[in-house]
Amino acid sequence: MTDNSYVHRLQAGAPGKPILFVLHGTGGDENQFFDFGRRLLPEATIVSPRGDVSEFGAARFFKRTGEGVYDMADLARATEKMASFVATLAKEHEATDVLGLGFSNGANILANVLIEKGLFNASVLMHPLIPFQPKANPALGGRKVLITAGERDPISPAPVTKALAEYFEAQNASTTTEWHAGGHDIRQNEIDAIQRFFEPYR
């Protein structure tokens, strides 16, 4: 294991197919979305890392000091580590496209890697929370982003979600938002939207 690796599950895909990174929420692990990823893209390489930070025993990808209050230094560390992990595996597997799907804390690290590094051709951010103004990144032009969200989500409030969607739109990313009427839970219309979003990569 190197400093830029994670405990992870990996299933190698067919030659000439994408690589899909699936990133769990707080308290999840590398199993949370692995099978979902395989169903979405059966021929892709699927990679599911486990967060390397423990919050009272719950795995996360970066530290926080309170609900919605990020340790920005650790977010920067985690972003560099995840970007290196993604780039290394994408190269090793000669992936045609680099795809990402994250929920909650997993969506947040995925979003910040996008904001800072680009890297992902298409990304699904499920219930993300980016409680700061991201920097401009012209390299996001043309990249595909799907945000799924709950209108009454107490953890990822709707105005903050809308601000993130507006940020990606301002960077000329192809941005879609799928809402449901609930909170910080995953509902069928989100799953349907994700399936449609990844259909071109099957």
Side-chain angles (χ1 to χ4, degrees):
M1 299 289 279
T2 68
D3 289 343
N4 289 321
S5 192
Y6 295 84
V7 174
H8 64 277
R9 288 182 68 184
L10 186 150
Q11 177 175 295
K17 290 293 182 177
I19 188 167
L20 171 63
F21 292 85
V22 292
L23 307 174
H24 63 77
T26 298
D29 63 17
E30 64 274 21
N31 301 306
Q32 186 174 17
F33 292 109
F34 188 82
D35 291 337
F36 181 52
R38 288 198 301 188
R39 290 194 299 272
L40 285 170
L41 296 170
E43 295 186 9
T45 295
I46 310 297
V47 185
S48 183
R50 183 194 307 168
D52 61 347
V53 169
S54 176
E55 183 181 84
F56 306 110
R60 286 175 53 85
F61 290 100
F62 60 90
K63 297 175 185 176
R64 60 182 173 181
T65 58
E67 188 68 58
V69 183
Y70 294 168
D71 180 327
M72 297 302 289
D74 196 61
L75 176 59
R77 173 206 63 83
T79 298
E80 292 294 333
K81 178 174 177 175
M82 182 62 73
S84 178
F85 179 73
V86 168
T88 298
L89 284 173
K91 184 177 180 181
E92 281 179 9
H93 291 271
E94 299 178 349
T96 51
D97 289 288
V98 181
L99 312 176
L101 177 147
F103 169 66
S104 193
N105 181 242
N108 299 335
I109 188 64
L110 175 55
N112 208 54
V113 171
L114 257 181
I115 289 162
E116 294 288 336
K117 306 289 185 181
L119 279 183
F120 292 91
N121 302 98
S123 304
V124 174
L125 307 174
M126 305 168 71
H127 301 259
L129 175 66
I130 298 296
F132 54 86
Q133 179 57 48
K135 70 176 189 180
N137 184 353
L140 293 175
R143 294 176 193 265
K144 297 178 175 64
V145 178
L146 170 63
I147 297 172
T148 70
E151 293 171 356
R152 295 173 177 82
D153 191 333
I155 296 172
S156 303
V160 184
T161 301
K162 290 173 183 173
L164 183 62
E166 289 166 1
Y167 162 78
F168 283 119
E169 289 166 357
Q171 311 312 306
N172 295 312
S174 174
T175 309
T176 306
T177 307
E178 179 75 22
W179 294 91
H180 65 61
H184 203 66
D185 55 309
I186 299 169
R187 299 200 176 181
Q188 187 61 46
N189 68 302
E190 288 179 75
I191 294 169
D192 295 342
I194 292 165
Q195 289 172 331
R196 291 192 301 271
F197 181 77
F198 280 136
E199 185 64 34
Y201 301 98
R202 285 177 70 91

